[in-house]
Amino acid sequence: MPAPTEGFLWMRPLGLWGLALPVLLFLLSRLRARPRSLATGTLFLWKEVARVAPQRTRRATCGTTPATWIAIAALACGALALAGPTVVRPEAPRTWSLVIDRSPSMFLPLDAGDAGSDDRRIDAAVRVACERVSALAGPDDRVRWFASGRAPLELDVGARPPAEWWTPPAWFEVEPDWTLHDAPGVIAVTDREPDAKPEHAGWSASGGGAVHGTIATFDGERVEWDGTALTTRPDASPPRVVSFVAPANVESGAVEPLYELARVWAHARGLDFDESGARASSAALVVSIASADLAPDADGTFVAGRDRWTLACRVAARSRAADGDDRALRGASGVGPGDAWLVGIAPDGARGAERALVVGSPGVVRVAWSAMDEPRGDTAAFAVSWSRLFERWTRPASGVVPLAERRDAGAADVRDPVPPPPVEREEGERPAGADLASAWLAGAAAALACAASIAFAFGRR
């Protein structure tokens, strides 16, 4: 529910029934002071008394003594204190979170049968999520936006991230693991209701019908799905390329095993192999040798291994001036530094630290070394390991969306999350709603009660 605005609130409204006591005391005082009517033949005597003592007569006619008024005030203050008057201040601002699913299905059309509509599943889901946050959030609340391949943003309620947030990624992003985002104030922005229903988080699911189209390309052919069966047709798009990029000071023989492996794998996949690196900007995969950002500050030899094979390699420091191409390749991938796939250790232990030697990211495999020995151990496993690495990070062809992503996402659905807790206030700051009105009224009631007791005592005397 929205955060309450500033106002006045009775914490115990039933206490207001106590106001009946001072009203009752006032009425009783009036009834007791009313004189009785008696028939008398001595009217002239009473007129003489009224002429001699007019002030005393007026006080007697009034009927409510000062002591009674003080008692009435004491009862009224006590009743108000019992009701708990409180000034409600706005709650501390809260932070809501929108976690965006950027898997391929989110960029499919919401209604595949409406050729004139540009509305995508991600657009519909974000629109509903923003509407729910606007309805639930307070005036000072904030919204955090999270998406893979994007730096988190914190914006005002109603504001949205820039346009580049909504462009399809160059890589098959996976749907977030929603169990990791099950927290109050979180809304999962996706196309179908999460399989494992979160306990605290909500969701905004766009739904969407099945979208037919290309699910894969291989060796000059495209595999199409028509809703019931798979068919193949020739691929008329330009040939895709694997580009092998190495600095001029790196001799081809120094990285011969890796060069041959990349070339054979590219041909087996029906991809062109660019050994000069001239077509790297448009390549489906770039294998970057002696990548500057992976090089240490000083030359060194490292040993690394995995999958039943090991190798020794020489890592030479490169000038940061030669880092421009690497930055461009990383920027094109749309993600951060990437995933470390191979980590090496200096055999002499001089540095005492591990170093990432091979890092993969969409469209780019970056290799730190400038020279390597022949791998040892299971050479077949060496080829399989690198082939899987290349396969994982090769950019998909244009228009390709996996079959599982093209299937029917069902109807739209939305559920509000548990509201997030307010931001903790600074130490010493009074919490919202704190007020001393009840204490002051209770003290006033006690003081007036004492005064009324003294007044009644003097009145009787």
Side-chain angles (χ1 to χ4, degrees):
M1 60 183 299
T5 56
E6 186 169 0
F8 191 79
L9 178 68
W10 296 101
M11 300 299 294
R12 299 174 294 276
L14 291 178
L16 294 175
W17 285 102
L19 292 175
L21 294 177
V23 175
L24 181 61
L25 178 59
F26 174 76
L27 294 177
L28 290 175
S29 68
R30 298 290 294 179
L31 290 174
R32 292 183 61 186
R34 181 177 298 174
R36 291 183 299 170
S37 298
L38 296 176
T40 179
T42 59
L43 181 60
F44 69 95
L45 293 175
W46 293 107
K47 289 181 178 180
E48 184 64 19
V49 171
R51 183 182 65 81
V52 174
Q55 297 300 325
R56 183 179 179 86
T57 303
R58 282 196 293 269
R59 285 195 297 269
T61 303
C62 179
T64 304
T65 65
T68 303
W69 282 116
I70 296 174
I72 290 173
L75 291 173
C77 288
L80 293 176
L82 183 63
T86 303
V87 177
V88 179
R89 298 177 178 85
E91 289 186 358
R94 299 172 294 180
T95 301
W96 304 78
S97 299
L98 297 182
V99 183
I100 311 299
D101 176 8
R102 295 182 75 235
S103 60
S105 63
M106 293 297 290
F107 298 90
L108 294 175
L110 182 64
D111 185 0
D114 187 359
S117 175
D118 295 330
D119 205 16
R120 303 171 299 178
R121 293 181 182 181
I122 191 171
D123 301 326
V126 169
R127 183 168 57 249
V128 174
C130 289
E131 291 173 356
R132 296 312 306 150
V133 170
S134 298
L136 298 170
D140 298 325
D141 287 1
R142 302 278 287 174
V143 180
R144 287 177 181 163
W145 295 77
F146 299 92
S148 60
R150 299 286 184 262
L153 294 177
E154 183 170 321
L155 305 174
D156 293 330
V157 174
R160 295 195 185 187
E164 56 266 21
W165 265 62
W166 314 117
T167 57
W171 179 246
F172 291 153
E173 299 284 359
V174 297
E175 181 177 335
D177 183 354
W178 299 120
T179 60
L180 301 178
H181 302 282
D182 187 9
V186 175
I187 297 180
V189 181
T190 183
D191 58 347
R192 66 189 73 209
E193 178 184 318
D195 294 332
K197 302 242 181 346
E199 181 180 357
H200 303 99
W203 62 77
S204 171
S206 67
V211 180
H212 308 160
T214 305
I215 65 169
T217 62
F218 184 79
D219 200 13
E221 292 186 332
R222 301 179 76 89
V223 181
E224 304 281 342
W225 179 61
D226 62 5
T228 57
L230 300 177
T231 59
T232 59
R233 63 180 179 84
D235 187 2
S237 58
R240 302 166 68 213
V241 178
V242 174
S243 186
F244 195 84
V245 178
N249 61 344
V250 175
E251 300 178 2
S252 59
V255 289
E256 185 69 22
L258 192 55
Y259 169 85
E260 283 297 325
L261 181 58
R263 184 181 64 82
V264 171
W265 177 85
H267 291 162
R269 290 281 283 116
L271 306 174
D272 289 351
F273 186 71
D274 169 34
E275 62 183 40
S276 66
R279 301 162 66 183
S281 60
S282 60
L285 178 66
V286 176
V287 181
S288 176
I289 303 300
S291 187
D293 67 314
L294 300 182
D297 298 332
D299 297 349
T301 300
F302 290 83
V303 175
R306 57 176 291 160
D307 302 335
R308 303 189 306 278
W309 56 265
T310 60
L311 61 80
C313 60
R314 178 76 174 178
V315 179
R318 286 176 59 194
S319 169
R320 286 293 172 179
D323 194 22
D325 292 340
D326 293 317
R327 285 199 303 269
L329 293 175
R330 292 197 305 279
S333 70
V335 298
D339 296 337
W341 181 77
L342 188 65
V343 176
I345 303 175
D348 56 4
R351 294 170 184 79
E354 298 179 344
R355 179 167 297 279
L357 298 178
V358 180
V359 174
S361 57
V364 183
V365 171
R366 307 196 313 278
V367 180
W369 62 73
S370 56
M372 62 178 290
D373 296 339
E374 288 288 338
R376 297 179 180 179
D378 192 338
T379 55
F382 176 81
V384 171
S385 295
W386 283 88
S387 297
R388 289 175 176 172
L389 176 67
F390 296 156
E391 191 75 37
R392 178 184 179 186
W393 296 116
T394 300
R395 296 176 186 271
S398 176
V400 173
V401 176
L403 177 59
E405 299 287 321
R406 289 188 174 275
R407 296 188 182 277
D408 189 352
D413 189 26
V414 63
R415 190 187 83 172
D416 293 339
V418 174
V423 178
E424 293 186 3
R425 296 177 179 270
E426 297 293 335
E427 184 177 355
E429 186 179 358
R430 292 172 63 191
D435 202 273
L436 299 179
S438 296
W440 282 106
L441 286 170
L448 290 171
C450 293
S453 299
I454 295 173
F456 277 122
F458 276 103
R460 285 194 301 271
R461 186 175 304 173

